[in-house]
Amino acid sequence: MNDQPDDHSRHNERMRRMKVARDKMQARRTLERGLLLVHTGNGKGKSSAAFGMAIRSIGWGMRVAILQFVKGTWETGERNFFTDHPSDLVSFESMGEGFTWDTQDRARDIAAARRGWERAKELILDPEIDFVILDELNIVLADDTLPFAEALAFLKERPLTKHICVTGRGARPELVEIADLVTEFGEVKHPFNAGFNAQKGVEY
């Protein structure tokens, strides 16, 4: 059935009221500072979403630093992109030694996490950087490969002049508590469970 003129009028009036309400709500939101964002959950897309925000920030002329824990020398499309398209607005570093089931060396994993965290603190304290992505940090915090209490204390006292995004499944409740934005990525369906290998350009 085609819309009648009365339908359009009712719709327009609803939209008018909605805009008034949205404008009032927006007017009350005046805070502006660096946010702590957490991407967690068992679903795919946590790192991908963070890299999307990196591109968005670069589009505004903001300086972005991306630091990867765990992933190590594993070749990924994001690493290829950011290293093949050098810019003074973005840096990309991988500090991991690989997944723990690959390294099978706890001391080596701890040393890699420590190197990564020391570099992360440098980036967070650098006044020239606007947005820091700590990719897979949650993984090394989950089992204290990097001491969780130490990282939490630093993030609580972080400079509020920049955004920080922490990714990785298994975010601990204390980190969720201090974050400004937390998104849990849930898995509904994954091709791996149907026998597919990781697909280039989709998962790495």
Side-chain angles (χ1 to χ4, degrees), residues 10-36:
R10 285 194 292 271
H11 171 80
N12 292 344
E13 176 58 21
R14 282 198 306 273
M15 295 304 103
R16 186 194 68 77
R17 291 196 304 269
M18 184 180 294
K19 183 176 185 337
V20 169
R22 295 288 300 180
D23 288 347
K24 286 181 180 178
M25 184 171 61
Q26 188 64 42
R28 293 193 295 268
R29 283 152 175 77
T30 57
L31 296 177
E32 188 167 332
R33 64 162 172 77
L35 301 176
L36 177 61

